[in-house]
Amino acid sequence: MPVRIKICGLRTAQDVAAAVACGADDIGLVFFDRSPRHLTLDDAAELALTVPVGIRKVALTVDADDATLDALLARVPIDLLQLHGHETPDRVQEIRQGTGIPVMKAVGIAEAADLDELDAYMAVCEQVLVDAKPPRGGVLPGGNGLAFDWTLLEGRSWPVPWMLAGGLRPSNVAEAIRLTGAPQVDVSSGVESAPGVKDPDMIRDFCAAVRGV
Protein backbone atom coordinates (compact mmCIF):
# COMPACT_ATOMS: atom_id res chain seq x y z
CA MET A 1 0.00 0.00 0.00
CA PRO A 2 1.27 3.51 -0.79
CA VAL A 3 2.23 5.62 2.20
CA ARG A 4 -0.57 8.05 3.02
CA ILE A 5 0.40 11.73 3.02
CA LYS A 6 -1.10 14.46 5.21
CA ILE A 7 -0.20 18.10 4.62
CA CYS A 8 -1.19 20.03 7.73
CA GLY A 9 -1.70 23.69 8.48
CA LEU A 10 -3.09 24.76 5.11
CA ARG A 11 -4.51 28.28 5.07
CA THR A 12 -5.35 29.18 1.47
CA ALA A 13 -7.03 27.69 -1.57
CA GLN A 14 -3.63 27.78 -3.27
CA ASP A 15 -2.23 25.63 -0.46
CA VAL A 16 -4.99 23.09 -0.95
CA ALA A 17 -4.55 23.05 -4.72
CA ALA A 18 -0.80 22.48 -4.37
CA ALA A 19 -1.27 19.62 -1.93
CA VAL A 20 -3.97 17.94 -4.00
CA ALA A 21 -1.99 18.30 -7.23
CA CYS A 22 0.96 16.53 -5.62
CA GLY A 23 -1.12 13.59 -4.40
CA ALA A 24 -1.78 14.41 -0.75
CA ASP A 25 -4.42 12.18 0.83
CA ASP A 26 -5.25 14.34 3.86
CA ILE A 27 -5.64 18.09 4.33
CA GLY A 28 -5.01 19.38 7.86
CA LEU A 29 -6.79 22.49 9.16
CA VAL A 30 -5.52 24.01 12.41
CA PHE A 31 -7.85 25.45 15.05
CA PHE A 32 -5.47 26.77 17.70
CA ASP A 33 -5.18 30.52 18.04
CA ARG A 34 -1.54 30.49 19.15
CA SER A 35 -0.47 28.80 15.93
CA PRO A 36 0.56 30.76 12.81
CA ARG A 37 -1.59 28.24 10.93
CA HIS A 38 -4.79 28.96 12.86
CA LEU A 39 -8.03 29.34 10.90
CA THR A 40 -11.27 31.00 11.90
CA LEU A 41 -14.39 28.90 11.43
CA ASP A 42 -15.54 31.10 8.55
CA ASP A 43 -12.21 30.82 6.75
CA ALA A 44 -12.05 27.08 7.37
CA ALA A 45 -15.58 26.54 6.08
CA GLU A 46 -14.71 28.40 2.88
CA LEU A 47 -11.42 26.55 2.50
CA ALA A 48 -13.07 23.17 3.03
CA LEU A 49 -15.22 23.80 -0.04
CA THR A 50 -12.06 23.77 -2.18
CA VAL A 51 -11.05 20.27 -1.05
CA PRO A 52 -12.02 17.64 -3.64
CA VAL A 53 -14.20 14.68 -2.71
CA GLY A 54 -12.04 11.78 -1.58
CA ILE A 55 -9.44 13.93 0.20
CA ARG A 56 -9.81 13.58 3.97
CA LYS A 57 -10.27 16.81 5.90
CA VAL A 58 -8.60 16.71 9.33
CA ALA A 59 -9.25 19.28 12.07
CA LEU A 60 -6.41 19.81 14.55
CA THR A 61 -7.66 20.99 17.95
CA VAL A 62 -5.90 21.44 21.29
CA ASP A 63 -7.77 20.67 24.52
CA ALA A 64 -11.02 21.90 22.97
CA ASP A 65 -14.16 21.84 25.11
CA ASP A 66 -17.51 20.48 23.93
CA ALA A 67 -18.86 23.88 22.92
CA THR A 68 -15.81 24.58 20.78
CA LEU A 69 -16.02 21.21 19.04
CA ASP A 70 -19.76 21.57 18.47
CA ALA A 71 -19.28 24.99 16.89
CA LEU A 72 -16.47 23.68 14.69
CA LEU A 73 -18.35 20.64 13.44
CA ALA A 74 -21.53 22.63 12.84
CA ARG A 75 -19.65 25.03 10.56
CA VAL A 76 -16.87 23.01 8.89
CA PRO A 77 -17.27 19.59 7.20
CA ILE A 78 -14.63 17.44 8.89
CA ASP A 79 -13.77 13.77 8.38
CA LEU A 80 -11.31 13.25 11.25
CA LEU A 81 -10.56 15.07 14.51
CA GLN A 82 -6.88 15.31 15.45
CA LEU A 83 -6.54 15.89 19.19
CA HIS A 84 -3.17 17.50 19.82
CA GLY A 85 -3.39 18.62 23.44
CA HIS A 86 -3.36 16.92 26.83
CA GLU A 87 -6.58 15.00 26.26
CA THR A 88 -6.75 11.88 28.45
CA PRO A 89 -7.95 8.54 27.08
CA ASP A 90 -11.29 9.14 28.84
CA ARG A 91 -11.62 12.54 27.19
CA VAL A 92 -10.73 11.07 23.80
CA GLN A 93 -13.44 8.45 24.16
CA GLU A 94 -15.91 11.09 25.29
CA ILE A 95 -15.19 13.24 22.22
CA ARG A 96 -15.40 10.30 19.87
CA GLN A 97 -18.75 9.19 21.25
CA GLY A 98 -20.17 12.68 21.60
CA THR A 99 -19.29 13.91 18.11
CA GLY A 100 -19.59 10.70 16.12
CA ILE A 101 -16.41 11.76 14.26
CA PRO A 102 -13.37 9.45 14.03
CA VAL A 103 -10.49 10.59 16.23
CA MET A 104 -6.71 10.58 15.89
CA LYS A 105 -4.78 11.34 19.09
CA ALA A 106 -1.29 12.85 18.92
CA VAL A 107 1.27 11.47 21.36
CA GLY A 108 4.64 13.16 21.83
CA ILE A 109 7.74 10.96 21.86
CA ALA A 110 11.20 11.79 23.19
CA GLU A 111 12.38 8.43 24.58
CA ALA A 112 11.38 4.77 24.57
CA ALA A 113 9.32 5.08 27.76
CA ASP A 114 6.98 7.52 26.02
CA LEU A 115 5.80 4.78 23.68
CA ASP A 116 3.91 3.11 26.54
CA GLU A 117 1.41 5.97 26.44
CA LEU A 118 0.31 4.91 22.97
CA ASP A 119 -1.39 1.73 24.19
CA ALA A 120 -3.99 3.53 26.29
CA TYR A 121 -5.00 5.74 23.37
CA MET A 122 -5.17 2.94 20.86
CA ALA A 123 -8.04 1.43 22.84
CA VAL A 124 -10.19 4.55 22.45
CA CYS A 125 -9.51 6.08 19.02
CA GLU A 126 -9.33 5.16 15.37
CA GLN A 127 -5.65 5.99 15.00
CA VAL A 128 -2.69 7.71 16.63
CA LEU A 129 -0.21 10.34 15.52
CA VAL A 130 3.32 9.62 16.73
CA ASP A 131 4.95 13.05 17.00
CA ALA A 132 8.00 14.63 18.59
CA LYS A 133 7.50 16.09 22.05
CA PRO A 134 7.42 19.89 21.92
CA PRO A 135 10.39 21.76 23.38
CA ARG A 136 10.22 22.61 27.07
CA GLY A 137 8.33 25.87 27.46
CA GLY A 138 7.12 25.82 23.84
CA VAL A 139 3.69 27.26 23.04
CA LEU A 140 2.89 24.94 20.14
CA PRO A 141 2.09 21.25 20.73
CA GLY A 142 3.15 20.42 17.18
CA GLY A 143 4.46 22.00 14.01
CA ASN A 144 7.78 22.84 15.67
CA GLY A 145 9.97 21.20 13.06
CA LEU A 146 11.50 18.86 15.62
CA ALA A 147 12.19 15.17 15.05
CA PHE A 148 12.69 12.36 17.55
CA ASP A 149 14.84 9.25 17.35
CA TRP A 150 13.06 7.25 14.66
CA THR A 151 14.94 4.09 15.57
CA LEU A 152 12.66 3.90 18.63
CA LEU A 153 9.93 2.72 16.25
CA GLU A 154 11.95 0.08 14.39
CA GLY A 155 10.19 -3.28 14.30
CA ARG A 156 7.13 -2.04 16.19
CA SER A 157 3.55 -2.65 15.12
CA TRP A 158 0.26 -1.53 16.59
CA PRO A 159 -3.35 -2.67 16.30
CA VAL A 160 -4.67 0.62 14.89
CA PRO A 161 -3.39 2.78 12.01
CA TRP A 162 -0.70 5.26 12.94
CA MET A 163 0.89 8.33 11.39
CA LEU A 164 4.45 9.65 11.78
CA ALA A 165 5.07 13.37 12.37
CA GLY A 166 7.77 15.60 13.77
CA GLY A 167 10.55 17.27 11.82
CA LEU A 168 9.71 15.63 8.51
CA ARG A 169 10.76 17.44 5.34
CA PRO A 170 11.55 16.56 1.71
CA SER A 171 15.17 15.68 2.50
CA ASN A 172 14.50 13.19 5.31
CA VAL A 173 11.02 11.72 4.91
CA ALA A 174 12.20 8.76 2.82
CA GLU A 175 14.71 7.79 5.52
CA ALA A 176 12.05 8.20 8.20
CA ILE A 177 9.72 5.83 6.37
CA ARG A 178 12.45 3.25 5.83
CA LEU A 179 13.47 3.30 9.50
CA THR A 180 9.98 3.23 11.01
CA GLY A 181 7.82 1.51 8.41
CA ALA A 182 5.33 4.35 8.82
CA PRO A 183 2.16 3.75 6.78
CA GLN A 184 1.24 7.45 6.99
CA VAL A 185 3.25 10.67 7.30
CA ASP A 186 2.29 14.18 8.36
CA VAL A 187 4.15 17.40 7.51
CA SER A 188 3.54 21.04 8.35
CA SER A 189 6.56 23.30 8.99
CA GLY A 190 8.73 21.05 6.81
CA VAL A 191 7.04 22.41 3.67
CA GLU A 192 6.97 26.08 4.67
CA SER A 193 9.05 29.07 3.58
CA ALA A 194 8.03 30.89 6.78
CA PRO A 195 5.80 29.96 9.74
CA GLY A 196 2.33 29.32 8.33
CA VAL A 197 3.38 29.98 4.71
CA LYS A 198 3.30 26.83 2.60
CA ASP A 199 5.75 26.47 -0.30
CA PRO A 200 4.25 24.60 -3.29
CA ASP A 201 7.67 23.44 -4.48
CA MET A 202 8.46 21.98 -1.07
CA ILE A 203 5.06 20.26 -0.98
CA ARG A 204 5.81 18.76 -4.40
CA ASP A 205 9.26 17.58 -3.33
CA PHE A 206 7.91 16.09 -0.11
CA CYS A 207 5.21 14.11 -1.88
CA ALA A 208 7.67 12.95 -4.53
CA ALA A 209 10.08 11.73 -1.84
CA VAL A 210 7.32 9.76 -0.14
CA ARG A 211 6.12 8.20 -3.37
CA GLY A 212 9.68 7.29 -4.26
CA VAL A 213 10.18 5.06 -1.22
Side-chain angles (χ1 to χ4, degrees), residues 29 43 47 79 85 93 130 146 152 185 196 200:
L29 308 177
D43 287 345
L47 190 59
D79 303 305
Q93 187 169 34
V130 184
L146 300 176
L152 294 174
V185 291

Side-chain angles (χ1 to χ4, degrees), residues 192-208:
E192 291 180 346
S193 57
V197 181
K198 291 294 186 284
D199 184 311
D201 292 334
M202 294 175 75
I203 292 175
R204 180 200 62 215
D205 291 347
F206 184 88
C207 292

